[in-house]
């Protein structure tokens, strides 16, 4: 039958919590407009009563003002209820969002935990320890090689300072007995240098030519 008459099988999407909040906010705005309108009427009645004396006319205006005030009280009660509903729905929406974020965080943590277990399963702790020990041995061998290459073959390992002082005293005594040492001769002028040539002055030769 549905196919014959062409009735649609699609259903209306269900209203969400945010849709309900928006609808309630629209009702709140409508009620607030009505309350402001009643406030204007009350102000006008108040001005009229201030200009009239006591009598039937003033009493009639006062009755109208009372009815408007009663209507305003009803709208104010409705406004409070709508605002409370909006607050409750917004709190529920916030709680739902927090729960959704929490579930997303938990799912991400589960995935990360699974990936970590998968990666750590490929690591062999014993191999890492053995590699660490091998590195330590290689570093010790490198230090031994450096020490061996830096060793001096001409200088003894241990030199007695007293022996050095005794040898220095013997050298000084030998220098006093033999005269100035070769170190003192370094400041002397060598014997193989010729005598300094005598310079002949040019003006003297000119005077000799004049006398001739």
């Amino acid at each position: 039958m549905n196919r014959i008459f062409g009735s649609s099988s699609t259903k209306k999407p269900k209203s969400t919590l945010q849709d309900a909040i928006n609808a309630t906010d629209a009702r709140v705005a409508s009620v607030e407009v009505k309350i402001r309108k009643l406030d204007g009427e009350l102000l006008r009645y108040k001005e009229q009563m201030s200009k009239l004396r006591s009598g039937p006319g003033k009493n009639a205006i006062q009755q109208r003002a009372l009815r408007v005030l009663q209507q305003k009280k009803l709208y104010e009660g409705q406004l409070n209820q709508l605002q409370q509903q909006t607050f409750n729905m917004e709190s529920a929406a916030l709680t739902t969002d927090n729960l959704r974020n929490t579930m997303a965080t938990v799912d991400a943590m589960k995935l990360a935990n699974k990936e970590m277990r998968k990666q750590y399963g490929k690591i062999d702790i014993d191999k890492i320890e053995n590699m660490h020990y091998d590195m330590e041995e290689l570093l010790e061998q490198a230090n031994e090689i450096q020490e061996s290459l830096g060793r001096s073959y001409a200088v003894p390992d241990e030199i007695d300072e007293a022996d050095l002082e005794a040898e220095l005293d013997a050298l000084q005594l030998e220098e006093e007995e033999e005269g100035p040492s070769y170190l003192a001769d370094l400041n002397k002028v060598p014997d193989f240098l010729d005598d300094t040539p005598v310079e002949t002055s040019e003006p003297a030769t000119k005077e000799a030519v004049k006398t001739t």
Side-chain angles (χ1 to χ4, degrees), residues 159-173:
I159 299 176
D160 191 356
E161 188 175 355
D163 294 340
L164 292 176
E165 291 179 357
E167 186 176 353
L168 182 61
D169 293 338
L171 290 174
Q172 291 178 354
L173 181 60

Side-chain angles (χ1 to χ4, degrees), residues 45 172 206:
Y45 290 148
Q172 291 178 354
K206 291 181 179 180

Side-chain angles (χ1 to χ4, degrees), residues 139-153:
L139 290 175
E140 290 178 359
Q141 292 178 5
N143 292 331
E144 292 177 357
I145 292 172
Q146 294 296 328
E147 291 177 359
S148 177
L149 293 175
R151 187 180 302 166
S152 178
Y153 299 100

Side-chain angles (χ1 to χ4, degrees), residues 115-129 131:
E115 187 66 22
M116 289 175 63
R117 288 180 180 276
K118 181 179 178 182
Q119 295 297 329
Y120 277 113
K122 301 177 182 179
I123 298 175
D124 190 351
I125 302 298
D126 295 333
K127 290 183 179 180
I128 295 176
E129 291 291 336
M131 181 177 64

Side-chain angles (χ1 to χ4, degrees), residues 3-212:
R3 293 181 180 178
I4 295 173
F5 293 101
S7 62
S8 177
S9 60
T10 59
K11 295 181 180 180
K12 275 186 175 184
K14 293 182 179 181
S15 60
T16 61
L17 188 59
Q18 188 60 43
D19 295 336
I21 293 174
N22 295 334
T24 306
D25 288 340
R27 293 175 61 189
V28 168
S30 177
V31 173
E32 288 177 345
V33 170
K34 293 178 180 180
I35 292 174
R36 285 195 295 269
K37 183 179 179 181
L38 295 175
D39 286 335
E41 292 181 8
L42 287 173
L43 182 61
R44 186 174 68 254
Y45 290 148
K46 183 179 180 181
E47 291 177 354
Q48 291 177 0
M49 285 188 297
S50 63
K51 296 178 182 179
L52 295 175
R53 295 180 181 180
S54 298
K58 185 175 182 180
N59 292 335
I61 295 174
Q62 187 175 2
Q63 291 297 323
R64 293 177 185 174
L66 289 175
R67 286 195 297 270
V68 171
L69 183 60
Q70 185 178 5
Q71 190 176 5
K72 178 186 175 183
K73 294 295 182 182
L74 291 175
Y75 281 130
E76 286 179 348
Q78 186 179 4
L79 179 63
N80 291 332
Q81 291 178 358
L82 292 173
Q83 289 176 343
Q84 185 63 40
Q85 290 176 10
T86 302
F87 175 77
N88 293 336
M89 287 187 292
E90 288 179 348
S91 299
L94 181 61
T95 304
T96 303
D97 290 339
N98 291 336
L99 182 59
R100 188 181 295 111
N101 294 333
T102 302
M103 294 303 297
T105 303
V106 171
D107 291 340
M109 292 177 64
K110 287 180 179 179
L111 183 61
N113 189 14
K114 182 178 179 181
E115 187 66 22
M116 289 175 63
R117 288 180 180 276
K118 181 179 178 182
Q119 295 297 329
Y120 277 113
K122 301 177 182 179
I123 298 175
D124 190 351
I125 302 298
D126 295 333
K127 290 183 179 180
I128 295 176
E129 291 291 336
N130 293 332
M131 181 177 64
H132 180 68
Y133 294 144
D134 291 341
M135 290 295 296
E136 288 183 350
E137 292 179 358
L138 290 174
L139 290 175
E140 290 178 359
Q141 292 178 5
N143 292 331
E144 292 177 357
I145 292 172
Q146 294 296 328
E147 291 177 359
S148 177
L149 293 175
R151 187 180 302 166
S152 178
Y153 299 100
V155 180
D157 294 336
E158 294 182 359
I159 299 176
D160 191 356
E161 188 175 355
D163 294 340
L164 292 176
E165 291 179 357
E167 186 176 353
L168 182 61
D169 293 338
L171 290 174
Q172 291 178 354
L173 181 60
E174 183 179 356
E175 181 181 354
E176 291 176 359
E177 291 177 354
E178 296 180 359
S181 64
Y182 66 90
L183 295 175
D185 296 335
L186 292 176
N187 295 325
K188 292 182 179 181
V189 179
D191 296 334
F192 61 82
L193 292 178
D194 297 334
D195 294 335
T196 305
V198 179
E199 296 181 357
T200 58
S201 59
E202 186 178 352
T205 56
K206 291 181 179 180
E207 291 178 359
V209 173
K210 288 181 180 181
T211 54
T212 55

